[in-house]
Amino acid sequence: MSQVLMAKSEAAVPSDVSTVVQYALAEDIGDGDRNAALVATNTSARARVIARENAILAGAPWFDAVFAALNPAVTVRWSCADGQRLRADATVVELEGPVHALLSGERTALNFLQLLSGVASATHEYVERVKGTDTAIIDTRKTLPGLRSAQKYAVLCGGGVNHRFGLFDAILIKENHIMAAGSIDAAVARAREQSPALFLQVEVENLTELEQALEAGVDGVLLDNLATHVLARAVNMADAHRRRFRRDIVIEASGDISLTNVREIADTGVDRISIGGLTKHVRATDFSMRMYTE
């Protein structure tokens, strides 16, 4: 195992890091790195990764796993931990070991770092905009295929909160489900019958549907693409229902959320705001690796 000399973020590291890294390495290296073969196999080198812009760091476990898979002799020393703020031109991590491993792992390791730091940085921007409210910024299932656990980890590093992981750990009844089932009541009743222990949420597009969902006894409502003044009314309706039945209901807003309007939406009193763009509209953070042979 490569030596990692700094503790990582408090966010739980997903269990599939090694599997994802092995797939990424196979995708890039195939049956052999023809470029690294140009350098003598007994050469050792040092390298450092530099952040070229301000960012929130995420992706260290995947970065570590790349070099651990290529050669256990590679030593990795971090200057900061996932979830911490990076300043432009700061050295993020230093490496030392066989040059073939450093050359072969460079692109794959940086790909993970730039993608996940980009997700964390975008999340952090939204979290900062709603600071001072009780509203959480949460992710969605709109993730890159095969990288869901990694991107959701990055959201946590940026200060966000994870929504359900997939179709198995919570139920979100959306427009097509309602249409297929016949009504909100019918969809909710069937969900309660089949999966009584799961969190049950219904997406609504107007106040009439909201009232139907509340009367059906859901655990949460997703207010989709509602104007701010309508959101405020919806929050009041849900609050009244909470008081009347003495039960909690999670109020979530989603749809057409941006840095421009997220604070206004949070100020309506919603519990959380889900933003698909955190993981699907990714702007990678700029990193570069500089190598020095011994």
Side-chain angles (χ1 to χ4, degrees), residues 249-265:
I249 299 170
V250 175
I251 308 170
E252 178 183 334
S254 186
D256 198 26
I257 310 294
S258 68
L259 290 170
T260 302
N261 65 10
V262 69
R263 178 64 189 225
E264 182 181 3
I265 293 171

Side-chain angles (χ1 to χ4, degrees), residues 29-177:
I29 297 174
D31 64 353
D33 183 349
R34 306 298 188 255
N35 296 277
L38 301 174
V39 183
T41 56
N42 61 349
T43 305
S44 294
R46 295 180 180 181
R48 62 191 179 109
V49 174
I50 301 166
R52 295 303 184 188
E53 58 185 315
N54 295 340
I56 302 297
L57 180 65
W62 290 262
F63 188 98
D64 294 339
V66 167
F67 294 104
L70 290 171
N71 195 317
V74 175
T75 298
V76 184
R77 298 183 179 89
W78 290 90
S79 301
C80 49
D82 279 359
Q84 291 186 347
R85 187 188 301 271
L86 303 177
R87 296 298 182 188
D89 299 323
T91 296
V92 179
V93 59
E94 295 180 301
L95 305 98
E96 183 176 358
V99 70
H100 276 206
L102 298 184
L103 289 171
S104 296
E106 174 185 359
R107 184 69 269 152
T108 299
L110 290 180
N111 282 349
F112 282 114
L113 208 61
Q114 68 187 22
L115 167 69
L116 300 183
S117 294
V119 172
S121 300
T123 303
H124 181 73
E125 284 192 82
Y126 278 97
V127 170
E128 286 294 300
R129 292 295 176 95
V130 302
K131 184 175 289 186
T133 73
D134 293 326
T135 302
I137 298 297
I138 68 173
D139 54 26
T140 70
R141 289 168 46 243
K142 297 175 183 178
T143 54
L144 301 180
L147 291 173
R148 179 168 296 174
S149 63
Q151 288 191 283
K152 283 182 171 286
Y153 169 91
V155 167
L156 296 177
C157 290
V161 176
N162 291 156
H163 204 295
R164 60 177 178 161
F165 189 87
L167 297 172
F168 56 89
D169 57 344
I171 297 175
L172 173 54
I173 297 172
K174 298 171 72 70
E175 177 184 11
N176 288 337
H177 303 112

Side-chain angles (χ1 to χ4, degrees), residues 12-24 61-62 65 112 145-151 153 165:
V13 177
S15 61
D16 65 349
V17 171
S18 179
T19 300
V20 172
V21 164
Q22 290 289 352
Y23 179 83
W62 290 262
F112 282 114
L147 291 173
R148 179 168 296 174
S149 63
Q151 288 191 283
Y153 169 91
F165 189 87

Side-chain angles (χ1 to χ4, degrees), residues 135-140 163 201 203-204 221-228 231-232 234-235 250-257 261-262 264-266 268-276:
T135 302
I137 298 297
I138 68 173
D139 54 26
T140 70
H163 204 295
Q201 185 178 19
E203 178 184 84
V204 301
V221 290
L222 172 57
L223 309 172
D224 185 46
N225 275 301
L226 299 186
T228 308
L231 278 176
V235 170
V250 175
I251 308 170
E252 178 183 334
S254 186
D256 198 26
I257 310 294
N261 65 10
V262 69
E264 182 181 3
I265 293 171
T268 64
V270 295
D271 299 308
R272 59 194 197 185
I273 299 174
S274 55
I275 305 170

